[in-house]
Amino acid sequence: MLHPPETIQPSKRLWSRDFVFFFAARTVSILGDQMLVPTTITVAMLQVGYGVTGVGYALAAYTAPLALLVIFGGVLVDRFTPVRVMVVADVARLVLYGVLALSFAAGTPDLWLILTLLALGSIGTAAFQPGYASVIPRIANDVQKANAAIRVTEALMTVAGPAAAGLLLAFSSVSVVLALNAATFGVSGACLLALRLKISGPSRRTPVRRDLVQGWQEFRSRDWLWGVIVIWMFYQATVNGPFITLGQSLITIEHGEGTLSLIMSMFGLGSVVGGLVAVRLKPPYPLRGGAIALIGTAFSLLALALQLPPPVIAGGYVLQGAGSAFWLIMFQTSVQTKIPPDVLGRVHAYDVAGSLIMKPVGQMAVGPVAVGIGAVPVLFFSLTMLLATVGLLLAVPSIRNLRRVS
């Protein structure tokens, strides 16, 4: 039997009981994720001898299924309610990453096993992610402030996660970090079960194809939304995907695992700053402000390309984190306040799929390209493409002139 969507009765105060449990679930799951990606995966693949190319394959396996299958997660969320789907996804990831931890504890796992378990875990994330976007408007009256609060804790965990992973890797092993990552999904699922979102209305039975078509129609009818996603596909393939793989691999190889953890923590610190700014700053044209903030990423690319000292690279990552966080909050808030709640899961799923589909392409391609022409030319290319991305976002009228919902 299919279940109806949850009744939307958001609390007028931000820190309601439901928001506290949701905030706790998000905090602990992000802590585990940040311990896993990119620090533990990068170190694990390099330790067992798979190299930068192996790091790219692992990160792509972690990302690609999410991009390909998240639209079906959106259908599940809109049919069965967000919390039910999210809890099932958490249980699945608890089991899968537990198996991955055991495989590293037993010795050196085959590459195919690592990639398979990461891919299956990513399928769980594909079911989970649309629900995350759908829950916030149901439990918070001020959606931007709720998104900013969540982003701040995500950023703090981006600081704590790599630092904790680096400390654990120094004194224990990859398998220990993976086991802790698996446990965070159990805690997240328990917190989500404590939410008290009301259910009302009759059950609906519609074909999956019709649900997908309806979500697509809602998505494509908004020029600003699909315009952002098309531009973001370009950004993921030429900037973010290559930079995640190449940048973190170079830092690990040239400066060590401890420096990688510290620099990734600085990215998280910058994200905290971007989130705190978004709590107060509500630009009338949110996507315009968010696009300008993305320029912060140029400093981290430039610092690595010029082979500057680690403290300067860390400063670049602070600016990148702040700009990326502010953009993400502006975009998420625009989607959550301008899309009807009964199709928000599916529309958000198309948004996530389009945003991520080209990321693994960049992640997998950068290793061979960097070997062929060198890392520095690739970094300068990504810097140029970043500036082109910002220019495109500001050049499209429907993106540049999109107004904030009060």
Side-chain angles (χ1 to χ4, degrees), residues 64-82:
L66 169 61
L68 295 172
L69 299 175
V70 69
I71 57 174
F72 295 98
V75 172
L76 293 175
V77 162
D78 287 339
R79 284 186 168 219
F80 295 101
T81 74

Side-chain angles (χ1 to χ4, degrees), residues 200-335:
S200 65
S203 300
R204 64 182 181 88
R205 297 177 181 272
T206 55
V208 171
R209 181 179 179 277
R210 182 180 300 176
D211 284 344
L212 292 173
V213 169
Q214 183 183 10
W216 173 251
Q217 290 173 340
E218 293 285 347
F219 175 81
R220 69 185 296 270
S221 66
R222 293 165 172 82
D223 291 350
W224 65 270
L225 181 55
W226 66 258
V228 167
I229 300 308
V230 169
I231 295 170
W232 209 249
M233 291 169 67
F234 168 80
Y235 171 82
Q236 293 282 38
T238 61
V239 183
N240 199 37
F243 185 49
I244 288 175
T245 301
L246 184 58
Q248 288 145 20
S249 297
L250 287 175
I251 293 169
T252 301
I253 293 168
E254 295 177 5
H255 303 291
E257 299 165 3
T259 302
L260 173 65
S261 297
L262 177 61
I263 289 176
M264 293 312 300
S265 295
M266 291 302 98
F267 175 86
L269 178 62
S271 297
V272 171
V273 173
L276 291 175
V277 170
V279 170
R280 294 292 183 184
L281 182 61
K282 296 184 176 181
Y285 302 98
L287 299 184
R288 185 187 303 180
I292 294 172
L294 282 174
I295 296 174
T297 301
F299 295 95
S300 56
L301 283 162
L302 189 61
L304 275 174
L306 295 177
Q307 299 177 325
L308 299 177
V312 181
I313 297 173
Y317 270 76
V318 171
L319 295 174
Q320 178 186 356
S324 299
F326 192 79
W327 159 262
L328 184 63
I329 293 166
M330 295 301 104
F331 178 66
Q332 287 182 338
T333 301
S334 298
V335 173

